[in-house]
Amino acid sequence: MHLFNPRSVVAQSIMPSYEWLFEFKENPAKNDVVVSMPPQFLNGRTGKVVATKKALQLLAYIKSLKQAALPDGEKPFEFLYEKEENTVDLVSAGGKSEVDGKALYSANCQSCHQENGEGLKGAFPPLKGSAIVNGDNLELYVDIIMNGYDAHPEYGVMAAVGTNMEFDENIVAAIINYERTSWGNTGKKVTTQEISKIMDFVKLKAASK
C-alpha cells in the first residue's frame, strides 16, 4: 500500500492519502526515495513523488514494531516477525564456520543504511566512513545495535533492532565485522568474546534506564 494514496490499491478506500508526507520533484536527488505511482493518481501533476524525512521516519518506526497480544488470546501473525532465514547462515572461512555478516546486514540493516552503506540523507545516517563504525568505542557501537540510537536530530530514530530480533554475540560481531570491512571502512575486526562481554554490560545498562 502506498501511504501517498491508498486508493491506488483499493479504489473504495476512505483512508486519507497522507499527501503531506510526500512531495513532487522534477529531478529527485540521488538519495531521494521515489515512490512509484500510477499516472491516474497524480491529478495532472508532473515529476516524481518523493518521500519526505517524516515519511521515512514513520516507516522506520512501523518496521520496528511487533504485534501486541490479541484480546481473545489468539496468537498474532507471528510469521510476519520471524527472523530472516539468512540471519543464521554460515560460511566456511579458514576451515571453520562463521556467521554470514553480509547476509545479516542485508536482512536487518540494509533497508535503512542501504546496500552501499551511505544511508538516506535526512533519514538514516551513513555507515560508510562513520566514526562510530571505524572507531574504538565498541560499547557505544554495540549499544546502538542492541538498543537503538537518537542522538542526531537530522536523522530518524533508530529502533532497538538487536533487542527486538534477539541478536546474540555471534550475530552482533558478524554485523560489526561486515560493516568495518565494507565500503572502504578500515575499522578493526572484533571477536565474539569481546562482544559477549560488552553485551552483558549493555543489557544491564538498558535495564537500569
Side-chain angles (χ1 to χ4, degrees):
M1 177 186 294
H2 291 306
L3 287 174
F4 180 79
N5 196 324
R7 291 176 180 80
S8 63
V9 178
V10 182
Q12 294 78 17
S13 173
I14 61 171
M15 183 178 176
S17 60
Y18 300 105
E19 294 189 31
W20 56 274
L21 287 172
F22 301 84
E23 59 185 341
F24 279 87
K25 288 187 178 182
E26 291 295 335
N27 298 297
K30 178 182 177 181
N31 293 329
D32 282 338
V33 177
V34 177
V35 181
S36 299
M37 288 290 296
Q40 62 267 33
F41 294 109
L42 297 180
N43 299 321
R45 287 172 287 188
T46 60
K48 301 291 186 180
V49 178
V50 175
T52 65
K53 177 180 178 179
K54 289 183 178 179
L56 297 173
Q57 290 174 335
L58 176 60
L59 179 61
Y61 172 70
I62 291 173
K63 289 176 66 177
S64 74
L65 300 177
K66 289 191 176 184
Q67 173 68 55
L70 300 176
D72 60 2
E74 183 180 351
K75 287 188 176 181
F77 299 105
E78 294 179 354
F79 70 90
L80 292 174
Y81 310 101
E82 290 178 354
K83 294 182 182 179
E84 297 280 350
E85 289 185 5
N86 60 11
T87 59
V88 292
D89 278 354
L90 299 178
V91 294
S92 178
K96 61 180 181 180
S97 293
E98 296 180 351
V99 182
D100 188 343
K102 182 177 181 179
L104 286 163
Y105 177 85
S106 177
N108 300 284
C109 316
Q110 184 171 299
S111 60
C112 293
H113 296 292
Q114 305 299 295
E115 185 176 6
N116 59 12
E118 294 180 1
L120 290 172
K121 186 177 180 181
F124 310 113
L127 301 180
K128 178 181 179 179
S130 165
I132 292 175
V133 173
N134 289 302
D136 296 323
N137 192 343
L138 275 179
E139 181 186 320
L140 175 60
Y141 200 165
V142 174
D143 191 26
I144 291 172
I145 292 174
M146 295 303 296
N147 299 316
Y149 201 51
D150 186 21
H152 298 292
E154 68 271 28
Y155 294 115
V157 177
M158 176 176 168
V161 177
T163 297
N164 292 342
M165 298 302 293
E166 300 179 355
F167 285 176
D168 62 19
E169 61 271 19
N170 297 293
I171 292 176
V172 174
I175 289 175
I176 288 176
N177 286 334
Y178 174 72
E179 292 175 352
R180 284 189 159 189
T181 56
S182 300
W183 320 300
N185 287 339
T186 57
K188 179 183 176 181
K189 294 185 75 172
V190 300
T191 66
T192 55
Q193 289 77 16
E194 286 179 280
I195 301 304
S196 179
K197 294 177 182 178
I198 295 172
M199 284 184 67
D200 289 339
F201 177 75
V202 165
K203 287 177 182 177
L204 288 173
K205 180 180 175 181
S208 64
K209 290 182 180 180

